[in-house]
Amino acid sequence: MESNFDVASIRKQFPILEQKVYGQPLVYLDNAATTQKPRCVVKRIEEAYFSHNANVHRAVHLLSQQATEAHEGARVVVQGFINAAESDEIVFTRGTTESINLVAFSFGEAFCREGDEILISSMEHHSNIVPWQLLCERKKMVLKVIPINDDGCLLLDEYAKLLGPKVKLLAITQISNVLGVENALGPIIELAHKQGIPVLVDGAQAVAHRPVDVQALDADFYTFSSHKIFGPTGVGVLYAKRFFLEKMPPYQGGGEMIDQVHFEKTTYNQIPFKFEAGTPDFIGTAALAEALRFIQKIGMDNIHAYERQLTDYALKELGKVEGFQLLGNIPDRHAIIPFQLKGIHAYDVGMMLDKLGIAVRTGHHCAQPLLERLGTGPCVRASFAFYNTTEEVYRLAAALRRIYKMFN
Ligand code: PMP
């Protein structure tokens, strides 16, 4: 594989990748679950705790001002990273899951009534299914699902038929965490908007792999998790258009989200603070900003191109392994390869790969309805980040050959 991408020097920024597991150099291919952290992110956390740790927004003293500047500065970095129109449209949460739950609750309160419908797709992660089921139970609404074909692609004609005046929101993933397929969000969102239906995009598997422009997408809501984009755990992002944030009621009550509190009546803070009750993870947000700056320096387009080459190379190499069965028939996969080894349970494959130093994910990948639809049962998922190499792909292919031989 030819590439100008300097993966060797990038890897030096990720000390965890240098270690051995069971005496073998670690091959970390579980990036769709969580990514590793570069030195600058961990350094940022240490620096924040050691030199300007103080609660944000509240005090007049210097440390608090510094912490507040870092936290609010991070909001601007996120805004720039996904090209939101204003930083007030960036709400910090604990992760994609909380971002979606926030919308399901607050949007549901403001815009939904008994008999209304929410539309999702067959390939959603559980965190883009269950919050909508809870809303539907609470409000006596109906959850509708866009079907997929046997290849694992959305049936867009069926999607068009499901749209209608009862649909209050479409919630859909940009890239499937199992199949790696990217949905054609441009036309999908355009069609929904033609009928006045807002769209929430689950970007958890997209932001670390391709440039994202929420204004170009015209997404009404966009969600992602810091830990999947080389930032710390426990921080997430909800982008929402001002129009919706202004209309939606608070999700949780407490400090930060209030304007005036009286026992008779409380008024709320302006957006985005209205949705950020309690002390935010201000150290985490500053570290997330560091991660975003780090990948911006490498360049999202460069990352996208490198990972595309790596994924294509992996598909070719793994395709030569006897017994290798790829899930779905997707024209263009994004850094995710789901598979089975013929006749061998996915857990056995995963456990043996682990002993050979290769970390992958096995199971239903929090997308049980998708695997049920594909009729495959549990599978193995190898997922890449820009620090993975062709050599690692080669080791995965060699390990799978060895496992297949052992079982046959
Ligand atoms: N959506 C998708 C597509 C995901 O892959 C994940 C994480 N696997 C989530 C949502 C949930 O993310 P988190 O657990 O960070 O909230």
Side-chain angles (χ1 to χ4, degrees), residues 32-34 94-100 123-128 173-178 202-206 223-228 234-236 336 361 365-366 381:
T34 200
R94 286 190 301 119
T96 307
T97 303
E98 190 176 53
S99 299
I100 297 173
M123 62 174 81
E124 298 309 316
H125 186 279
H126 295 165
S127 61
N128 200 26
T173 193
Q174 187 166 11
I175 294 179
S176 157
N177 69 311
V178 178
D202 174 352
Q205 293 299 341
T223 61
F224 66 94
S225 300
S226 156
H227 72 97
K228 289 188 200 280
V235 176
I336 290 178
R361 180 88 189 269
H365 315 289
C366 297
R381 179 184 69 186

Side-chain angles (χ1 to χ4, degrees), residues 291-340:
L292 298 183
R293 278 192 217 103
F294 175 79
I295 56 180
Q296 270 169 331
K297 260 190 233 151
I298 299 169
M300 221 47 231
D301 285 323
N302 294 334
I303 289 173
H304 184 56
Y306 174 76
E307 289 182 350
R308 167 154 295 184
Q309 276 185 317
L310 189 66
T311 310
D312 288 348
Y313 175 77
L315 286 168
K316 211 172 80 201
E317 285 304 306
L318 298 173
K320 294 183 211 158
V321 174
E322 200 183 345
F324 179 83
Q325 296 172 322
L326 188 63
L327 250 71
N329 182 17
I330 313 293
D332 191 14
R333 285 183 202 257
H334 284 262
I336 290 178
I337 300 187
F339 65 92
Q340 288 167 325

Side-chain angles (χ1 to χ4, degrees), residues 244-252 256-258 268-277:
F244 290 105
L245 290 180
E246 299 276 15
K247 294 241 168 352
M248 283 158 46
Y251 173 52
Q252 293 181 331
E256 299 264 348
M257 54 75 73
I258 50 88
Y268 307 127
N269 205 340
Q270 64 204 36
I271 69 163
F273 308 112
K274 184 171 89 173
F275 294 100
E276 294 180 353

Side-chain angles (χ1 to χ4, degrees), residues 280-293:
D281 186 350
F282 51 87
I283 306 256
T285 55
L288 166 63
E290 201 62 44
L292 298 183
R293 278 192 217 103

Side-chain angles (χ1 to χ4, degrees), residues 103-218:
V103 179
F105 177 81
S106 296
F107 178 89
E109 285 302 295
F111 292 95
C112 300
R113 281 189 301 185
E114 183 172 341
D116 285 344
E117 296 172 1
I118 297 288
L119 193 53
I120 61 172
S121 89
S122 299
M123 62 174 81
E124 298 309 316
H125 186 279
H126 295 165
S127 61
N128 200 26
I129 301 173
V130 185
W132 306 113
Q133 288 177 324
L134 291 171
L135 167 64
C136 287
E137 259 172 48
R138 204 172 70 239
K139 292 243 167 186
K140 298 195 177 64
M141 292 165 57
V142 183
L143 188 66
K144 294 261 170 102
V145 184
I146 308 166
I148 52 171
N149 61 19
D150 293 342
D151 290 341
C153 296
L154 283 185
L155 290 168
L156 293 177
D157 290 348
E158 298 300 316
Y159 160 59
K161 284 186 217 155
L162 285 166
L163 294 171
K166 284 190 178 170
V167 179
K168 287 294 166 293
L169 183 114
L170 164 67
I172 187 165
T173 193
Q174 187 166 11
I175 294 179
S176 157
N177 69 311
V178 178
L179 297 169
V181 62
E182 177 163 11
N183 290 316
L185 288 185
I188 287 174
I189 293 176
E190 203 182 319
L191 207 60
H193 282 176
K194 270 195 186 137
Q195 305 204 24
I197 300 166
V199 181
L200 176 142
V201 176
D202 174 352
Q205 293 299 341
V207 276
H209 303 288
R210 51 133 38 257
V212 169
D213 181 330
V214 289
Q215 291 187 80
L217 267 181
D218 204 13

